[in-house]
Amino acid sequence: MRSDRKTAGAKAEGKSDKTRRRILDAAALVLRHKGFAGTRLVDIAKVADMQAGSLYYYFGSREELVAEVMRTGVCSAFDAVTRRLAEMPAEASHVDRLCAAMETHLLFLVEQSDYASATIKLIGQVPKDMQQQQIATERTYGKLWKQLLRDARDAGEIRADLNLSAIRMMIMGALNWSVEWHRPENGPAEHIARDFIAMVMHGLAVRR
Amino acid sequence: MRSDRKTAGAKAEGKSDKTRRRILDAAALVLRHKGFAGTRLVDIAKVADMQAGSLYYYFGSREELVAEVMRTGVCSAFDAVTRRLAEMPAEASHVDRLCAAMETHLLFLVEQSDYASATIKLIGQVPKDMQQQQIATERTYGKLWKQLLRDARDAGEIRADLNLSAIRMMIMGALNWSVEWHRPENGPAEHIARDFIAMVMHGLAVRR
DNA sequence: AGTTTTTTCGAATTACGAATAGAAAATATC
DNA sequence: GATATTTTCTATTCGTAATTCGAAAAAACT
């Protein structure tokens, strides 16, 4: 059994923690590509360079492992967006901030984090109880987006006649769906983001 | 073994065909809610009001059954949109047609067809070979959308500086993602569609 | 170097659900 | 109404992959 020699929040990372992370990384990678049903423990073990049985030294069950990948996925995306917003100049408009959030979310998803893309993919695949847990974790991230939209609307920067909840879900949907189709050969994610933001902000219709 | 007393395209539907459809309906319903991994044959059988073993009289395997649900899902969505476009007045603009297609796709997805919503959900969940097959089936539907966008652009009705492939995927993503979040209590799908179309066409930003 | 603790292994077990097959029931045919 | 055909049921088999467990190996400690 593992000893808990560390106090919460310790910074040094021992061998055991590194192995644990290696397993999580492997799981995120495989899950991202094969989904929940398609991912077997032996697949994860192979990538992590160990035997399937050994995984149980670190995680109580397959579900527990997957759940931690998903939790990490949401939290890391939240962090990435939050950090990006934090480093914006104070004079940035609410719309600027909204656009930055969209760009960051998309880039993070498709070319930075296996955890985040795996999480998106898994949301619709895991059993009901895990899903509940997951939705709870996502609530904080959802609130951030809700706030971004509300601020922009209250400042008169975006139109006020739309159901912002629906708009938010549609935006997230467009961004999240990219994990299903985006491949590097479709071009750099920055370009996708640019065009998407152009559409969302100014519309497809030509100005008269 | 079933006799093939019917010639292709016969209109009368015998008892056997009705049972077959009952199973497909049940499968679509369950798959829509539980996904690929979460759906067991006994679940489908229960809804179809029969024993799991009996399914094999109609389908060679679980995969075959799921594949037929998915094929039906894409084809029916294609039909719904095509029909809607066909009954539009000749003087309708290309943008009008594009909007009609978006609305139809969304409504069909969230409140008309378990087949269509199950299909969307399953795309990222099924094994690689089924996925290939599925993508092939979807190609026709994809072409329809590509054409709608291209026509609108060529007619000068939408801006010409955007990557239409990416835009198409983003639009489909926003619409498709609704199967993950939309519930009747979020309000009628018509309203969601209206707001989404407003955003896509005219943008969130207020006009100066 | 010897001892204890942590980590890994790999074979065995278990659980679950798809698939099969032969009997029974229902339905159609003559 | 008897016979043939189709459909369904039930119990069983089969395969796969998660999980367990005791032993071996590695690492840490004295």
Side-chain angles (χ1 to χ4, degrees):
Chain A
M1 195 55 61
R2 308 182 59 204
S3 72
D4 34 353
R5 80 191 91 86
K6 296 199 315 288
T7 41
K11 47 201 84 166
E13 185 176 71
K15 168 179 153 58
S16 184
D17 304 272
K18 270 210 292 259
T19 307
R20 189 185 160 83
R21 178 177 312 271
R22 201 175 76 232
I23 295 170
L24 284 166
D25 286 351
L29 179 70
V30 179
L31 285 165
R32 169 184 188 163
H33 292 293
K34 303 212 205 188
F36 185 69
T39 297
R40 290 158 306 166
L41 251 22
V42 283
D43 298 329
I44 295 173
K46 194 169 298 178
V47 174
D49 197 33
M50 58 190 334
Q51 297 297 315
S54 308
L55 300 177
Y56 286 85
Y57 184 70
Y58 296 92
F59 299 93
S61 69
R62 177 183 130 111
E63 281 210 357
E64 197 179 294
L65 170 56
V66 174
E68 183 150 346
V69 168
M70 293 180 75
R71 208 171 42 65
T72 307
V74 181
C75 294
S76 66
F78 177 79
D79 281 357
V81 172
T82 304
R83 244 193 325 273
R84 170 73 183 275
L85 291 173
E87 69 197 19
M88 289 191 78
E91 68 272 20
S93 69
H94 291 105
V95 156
D96 287 340
R97 293 165 55 81
L98 180 59
C99 291
M102 290 192 284
E103 186 187 55
T104 305
H105 182 87
L106 183 69
L107 297 191
F108 191 71
L109 207 56
V110 303
E111 53 191 30
Q112 288 200 253
S113 169
D114 288 336
Y115 289 86
S117 41
T119 302
I120 297 299
K121 186 157 193 164
L122 295 178
I123 289 175
Q125 311 194 4
V126 297
K128 272 282 176 298
D129 52 334
M130 282 182 72
Q131 218 163 59
Q132 288 313 111
Q133 153 89 47
Q134 186 55 22
I135 289 171
T137 310
E138 276 167 28
R139 193 145 295 148
T140 309
Y141 193 40
K143 270 191 197 148
L144 170 62
W145 284 91
K146 206 173 281 199
Q147 195 59 49
L148 284 169
L149 283 165
R150 195 165 25 210
D151 288 348
R153 185 197 54 193
D154 292 349
E157 295 179 23
I158 65 175
R159 32 192 301 192
D161 62 332
L162 303 177
N163 174 347
L164 286 193
S165 292
I167 291 296
R168 175 169 62 92
M169 294 313 284
M170 290 298 206
I171 290 175
M172 297 308 289
L175 298 175
N176 289 344
W177 192 252
S178 64
V179 307
E180 301 289 351
W181 62 269
H182 186 266
R183 303 283 172 279
E185 59 268 26
N186 293 123
E190 282 87 351
H191 291 185
I192 314 279
R194 175 169 40 67
D195 286 5
F196 176 65
I197 290 170
M199 174 174 79
V200 166
M201 283 303 155
H202 306 110
L204 290 178
V206 294
R207 306 292 193 117
R208 272 154 275 204
Chain B
M1 195 56 62
R2 307 182 59 203
S3 71
D4 34 355
R5 80 190 91 87
K6 296 198 316 288
T7 41
K11 49 200 84 170
E13 185 176 69
K15 167 177 152 59
S16 184
D17 304 273
K18 268 208 293 256
T19 306
R20 188 184 161 83
R21 176 177 313 271
R22 200 174 79 231
I23 294 170
L24 284 166
D25 286 351
L29 178 70
V30 178
L31 285 165
R32 168 184 189 163
H33 292 293
K34 304 216 208 187
F36 185 68
T39 298
R40 290 159 305 166
L41 252 21
V42 283
D43 298 329
I44 296 173
K46 194 168 299 178
V47 174
D49 197 32
M50 59 190 334
Q51 298 298 313
S54 308
L55 300 177
Y56 287 86
Y57 183 71
Y58 296 92
F59 299 93
S61 69
R62 177 183 129 111
E63 280 210 358
E64 197 180 294
L65 170 55
V66 174
E68 183 151 345
V69 168
M70 293 180 76
R71 208 171 41 64
T72 306
V74 181
C75 293
S76 65
F78 177 80
D79 280 357
V81 172
T82 303
R83 242 192 329 271
R84 171 73 183 275
L85 290 174
E87 69 196 20
M88 290 190 79
E91 69 272 21
S93 70
H94 290 105
V95 156
D96 288 340
R97 292 165 54 81
L98 180 60
C99 292
M102 291 192 283
E103 186 186 55
T104 305
H105 181 86
L106 183 68
L107 296 192
F108 192 70
L109 208 57
V110 302
E111 52 190 32
Q112 287 200 255
S113 169
D114 288 336
Y115 289 86
S117 42
T119 303
I120 297 300
K121 186 156 194 165
L122 295 177
I123 289 175
Q125 311 194 3
V126 297
K128 272 281 176 300
D129 51 335
M130 280 182 74
Q131 217 163 61
Q132 287 313 112
Q133 153 89 45
Q134 186 57 21
I135 289 171
T137 309
E138 276 168 29
R139 193 145 294 147
T140 308
Y141 193 41
K143 270 190 196 149
L144 170 61
W145 284 91
K146 207 172 282 200
Q147 196 59 50
L148 284 169
L149 283 165
R150 195 165 24 214
D151 287 348
R153 185 196 55 193
D154 292 348
E157 296 178 24
I158 66 174
R159 32 192 301 190
D161 62 332
L162 303 177
N163 174 346
L164 286 193
S165 293
I167 290 296
R168 175 169 63 91
M169 294 313 283
M170 291 297 206
I171 289 175
M172 297 308 287
L175 298 175
N176 290 344
W177 192 252
S178 63
V179 308
E180 301 289 351
W181 61 269
H182 186 268
R183 303 284 173 276
E185 60 268 27
N186 294 123
E190 282 87 349
H191 291 183
I192 314 278
R194 174 168 42 66
D195 286 4
F196 176 66
I197 290 171
M199 174 175 79
V200 166
M201 283 304 157
H202 306 109
L204 289 179
V206 295
R207 305 295 193 115
R208 275 153 278 200

